[in-house]
Amino acid sequence: MQYALTGQQREDQAAFARFADDHLLPHANQWDRDQALSDDIVALLGKSRLLVPTLPTEAGGQAMDTETYGLLSEELGRGCGNIRNLVAVQGMVAHALLKWGTKEQSDRWVPRIGTGESVGAFALTEPETGSDARNGSMTAERVGETFVLNGRKKWISFGQRAEIFLVFARLDGDPAAFVVERGTEGFTTEPISGLLGLRASELAELSFDDCAVPAANLISHGRLTFDLVATGSLDYGRFSTAYGSVGLAQGCLTASLEYARERTQFGVPLGEHQLVRGLLTDMTASVEAARLLCRQAGALRAANHRDAIRQTLIAKYFASRAGFQAASDAVQLHGANGVGPDFPVQRHLRDAKIQEIIEGTTQIQQLQIADLTL
């Protein structure tokens, strides 16, 4: 009962579920096929103040608390992993600017992201440094009243759509974070298509060729920039990914239960077969265990507990693995229908694998959890 929802949280969760049922589930497969989200859903999220609901109201958010944001991430993950990813990325960029930027920088860019006027992108990963993002090779050099950026970023979610990019580079040997706006001379984006999963997250490769940005676009510079700005943003996204993986797993469980009740094989409903019941039991236990880990992480984050980061890592580690296993079992249970285009479990399986990679791979998280535990 420690993690029982309050009355308000239950109401919010029901509203989030209705939003997913009405606006995400009917279109998620099509967005996956199109490899892009519709402009309408992005606009609706902005109008509903759901793009960065954890922002203050004056910045385009709802001042949503941490635990409620987790419930939202779960329902978005159940409906469409790409939408859940969009909301997470907007939060990562907007909160980094709100926390580490000047008031002028925050006032200029954060409300545009919160209301959906301008989509943001978090540009950290490089072609040769994925998990080793701390040792990126992109450079920035001070030239008069500008900083000149050179290098490339890759696998950047919503890089095809974004107008505001939070970009990390090395300046005088130390990490630095800049805002680069689309249309800046020397800055180009190239779409990445044909992904395994999260196909509608509109990934792009970014190129910076003597790209000069105003000195006013420097957000942070110094030895601690990576630890504070980059790692802090990833922690925000990791919490969303953990809860989103629970939602994905719940979607697979719900689809599998319905299929097991309706599908008849060998003269009886599929769910009457002992091995099928075993799959459903394992799936149910994993979903509930992952959800409890996320609830625990959310409660600790809300209390600013010193163990919150470790518990968020554990939640994401367990939930992303549980999500992939649930999706794999769901496809297996659906048989040939599970790999066809008419059942969402095949999309969930592809999206679930990506959850084990983004915001820290499973293996990197094993190292991080061990470092914080031993």
Side-chain angles (χ1 to χ4, degrees):
M1 295 298 294
Q2 182 179 359
Y3 302 117
L5 300 181
T6 66
Q8 183 60 56
Q9 287 173 332
R10 286 195 297 272
E11 290 181 15
D12 290 337
Q13 185 180 47
F16 301 152
R18 287 193 299 271
F19 184 90
D21 290 342
D22 294 343
H23 300 292
L24 305 187
L25 284 170
H27 309 291
N29 282 347
Q30 187 61 53
W31 294 331
D32 178 75
R33 289 190 288 269
D34 293 343
Q35 301 187 60
L37 298 175
S38 69
D39 294 340
D40 289 343
I41 189 60
V42 178
L44 178 61
L45 288 163
K47 182 179 179 182
S48 304
R49 293 180 176 252
L50 288 175
L51 276 175
V52 197
T54 48
L55 285 175
T57 55
E58 63 271 18
Q62 300 183 24
M64 184 179 289
D65 64 84
T66 298
E67 293 169 286
T68 303
Y69 177 68
L71 300 177
L72 171 65
S73 297
E74 179 177 346
E75 293 302 328
L76 296 181
R78 181 178 65 85
C80 176
N82 295 289
I83 294 296
R84 200 282 315 160
N85 192 32
L86 173 69
V87 170
V89 170
Q90 301 318 292
M92 291 166 68
V93 177
H95 279 287
L97 296 177
L98 183 67
K99 186 170 184 178
W100 302 110
T102 64
K103 185 178 186 304
E104 290 74 18
Q105 291 169 332
S106 177
D107 289 346
R108 178 181 177 186
W109 290 306
V110 172
R112 287 166 54 186
I113 297 172
T115 60
E117 178 185 346
S118 299
V119 169
F122 187 77
L124 176 64
T125 305
E126 298 183 5
E128 304 302 326
T129 54
S131 297
D132 191 21
R134 184 183 296 272
N135 292 313
S137 61
M138 183 164 168
T139 62
E141 181 182 1
R142 181 73 182 248
V143 179
E145 295 301 312
T146 66
F147 290 99
V148 178
L149 277 57
N150 280 284
R152 289 190 299 158
K153 300 290 181 179
K154 195 172 184 180
W155 313 116
I156 307 305
S157 293
F158 305 101
Q160 298 178 34
R161 177 186 293 268
E163 296 287 339
I164 298 169
F165 296 78
L166 183 61
V167 180
F168 294 85
R170 300 200 71 81
L171 172 64
D172 298 329
D174 287 323
F178 302 87
V179 166
V180 179
E181 297 186 86
R182 184 176 291 276
T184 303
E185 187 174 355
F187 172 47
T188 57
T189 65
E190 182 70 24
I192 301 174
S193 60
L195 297 169
L196 170 69
L198 291 185
R199 296 166 67 92
S201 288
E202 303 173 6
L203 270 65
E205 182 169 0
L206 318 180
S207 296
F208 302 83
D209 299 302
D210 290 332
C211 173
V213 298
N217 287 30
L218 175 65
I219 303 300
S220 177
H221 174 224
R223 183 173 55 86
L224 295 178
T225 292
F226 188 91
D227 291 320
L228 297 177
V229 184
T231 302
S233 299
L234 290 170
D235 178 62
Y236 181 97
R238 193 174 293 124
F239 180 65
S240 170
T241 303
Y243 253 117
S245 295
V246 173
L248 183 151
Q250 181 64 60
C252 290
L253 174 58
T254 300
S256 296
L257 289 170
E258 292 174 354
Y259 194 77
R261 295 182 186 117
E262 297 169 359
R263 180 78 165 178
T264 299
Q265 293 287 276
F266 303 101
V268 297
L270 194 61
E272 294 299 316
H273 293 281
Q274 187 173 12
L275 294 178
V276 172
R277 296 171 78 86
L279 282 179
L280 292 171
T281 296
D282 288 346
M283 202 182 301
T284 300
S286 293
V287 170
E288 297 202 11
R291 181 177 288 119
L292 284 172
L293 282 171
C294 287
R295 294 270 176 86
Q296 177 168 272
L300 293 176
R301 293 172 72 86
N304 291 316
H305 194 279
R306 59 186 176 86
D307 199 32
I309 291 177
R310 188 180 72 102
Q311 291 295 334
T312 301
L313 284 163
I314 292 171
K316 194 271 184 182
Y317 170 73
F318 185 91
S320 61
R321 296 176 74 207
F324 181 74
Q325 187 61 56
S328 178
D329 288 345
V331 169
Q332 190 73 22
L333 188 146
H334 280 72
N337 284 328
V339 297
D342 298 327
F343 288 79
V345 292
Q346 55 85 24
R347 168 173 55 84
H348 286 320
L349 178 61
R350 293 185 285 103
D351 288 352
K353 174 45 66 178
I354 309 303
Q355 311 288 12
E356 290 194 283
I357 297 173
I358 59 175
E359 325 304 4
T361 67
T362 295
Q363 289 68 38
I364 288 294
Q365 290 186 321
Q366 288 175 324
L367 298 177
Q368 293 174 317
I369 292 168
D371 286 344
L372 293 173
T373 302
L374 297 176

